């Protein structure tokens, strides 16, 4: 990671690096000081506060807090986050700035070093990328990329400081703090972009500290094979209803429109109007009002891939 940061192509962009060492018992600080001293960037190294319930969310929250003042000291400041076992591509910062020109938060693509050693995880990632492309085919929005990656994480994220603060930051939870922040952003009406052009490479290690992180996912595949997946039919239904929710939001509180849409998603018209009343824009309304389809059992990865292929073919036939 240190060498990758040193190779960043910043041009005239002013940047600073903040390292948080969370419950480290090795020589991390010495290694950082030796390498960072050769970088042409100002840097700060801090130790995380000792805490009996230390976790990934708490550490990432503390790391962002280190750089928050620096990012807010300029009108156009941004925040980026990555991990110690990850390597941002040289154009990482520039890609983040480009993505944030049309969005409030950007989740970039995370590629695994030596990914060919884990073909099952590769299939999972390709499937989720296809699912994202399907989503943006049926529910396009101007700030998102149709070829982005559904696999997103704190190893590669960028956001505007104001959006991060408005969302309350990363939650201090053992895992999933990155996905939760993106979900909260959509429900609050912020624009989330999944950007294939903002790239970070990460390790394929099996020993990780976050219980639900990549290391845990790879270990689970090693022991149990391909994971089960939610049936894409449920996701497809949600995407179509979210597209309809965006379309009708400006027309609410028309009771007829609300009742007709409520019938589609299993809510009363009054409930639909109530949700719309609390939403600042169509994005927040779409993310909040559409429920998940109940009682759809998970399927094998093979079944999920075949079911998604059927949905994709139907979409192509409709476009002809």
């Amino acid at each position: 990671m240190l060498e990758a940061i040193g190779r960043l192509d910043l041009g005239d962009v002013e940047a600073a690096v903040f390292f948080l060492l969370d419950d480290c018992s090795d020589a991390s600080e010495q290694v950082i000081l030796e390498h960072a001293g050769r970088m042409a960037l100002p840097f700060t190294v801090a130790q995380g506060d000792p805490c009996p319930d230390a976790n990934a969310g708490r550490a990432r929250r503390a790391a962002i807090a280190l750089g928050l003042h620096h990012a807010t000291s300029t009108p156009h400041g941004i925040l980026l986050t990555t991990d110690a076992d990850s390597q941002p591509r040289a154009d990482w910062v520039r890609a983040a700035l480009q993505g944030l020109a049309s969005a409030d938060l950007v989740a970039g693509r995370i590629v695994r070093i030596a990914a060919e050693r884990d073909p099952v995880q590769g299939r999972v990632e390709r499937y989720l990328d296809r699912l994202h492309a399907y989503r943006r085919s049926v529910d396009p929005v101007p700030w998102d990329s149709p070829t982005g990656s559904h696999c997103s994480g704190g190893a590669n994220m960028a956001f505007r400081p104001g959006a991060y603060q408005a969302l309350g930051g990363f939650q201090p939870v053992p895992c999933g703090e990155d996905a939760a922040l993106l979900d909260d952003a959509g429900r609050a009406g912020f624009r989330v972009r999944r950007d294939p052009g903002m790239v970070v490479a990460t390790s394929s290690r099996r020993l990780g500290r976050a219980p639900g992180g990549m290391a845990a996912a790879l270990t689970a595949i090693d022991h149990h094979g391909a994971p089960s997946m939610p049936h894409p039919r449920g996701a497809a239904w949600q995407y179509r209803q979210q597209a309809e929710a965006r379309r009708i939001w400006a027309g609410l509180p028309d009771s007829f429109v609300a009742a007709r849409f409520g019938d589609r998603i299993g809510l009363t018209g009054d409930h639909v109007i109530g949700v719309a009343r609390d939403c600042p824009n169509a994005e927040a309304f779409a993310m909040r009002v559409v429920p998940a389809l109940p009682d759809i059992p998970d399927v094998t990865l093979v079944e999920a891939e075949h079911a998604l292929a059927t949905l994709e073919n139907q979409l192509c036939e409709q476009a002809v």
Side-chain angles (χ1 to χ4, degrees), residues 256-309:
F256 175 76
V257 171
R260 186 171 60 180
F261 181 64
D263 285 342
R264 294 178 58 165
I265 61 174
L267 300 176
T268 67
D270 286 344
H271 191 156
V272 171
I273 291 173
V275 174
R277 187 180 296 119
D278 293 335
C279 292
N281 54 32
E283 172 69 4
F285 178 63
M287 295 300 101
R288 292 186 203 179
V289 76
V290 179
L293 271 180
D295 303 326
I296 298 183
D298 288 353
V299 294
T300 66
L301 177 58
V302 170
E303 290 170 328
E305 290 169 330
H306 289 169
L308 180 55

Side-chain angles (χ1 to χ4, degrees), residues 5 9 13 35 43 63 65 95 104 117 156 159 166 185 219 290 310:
I5 290 177
D9 177 16
V13 175
H35 282 77
F43 67 93
D104 303 298
R117 299 176 187 171
N156 189 10
F159 23 79
T219 299
V290 179
T310 299

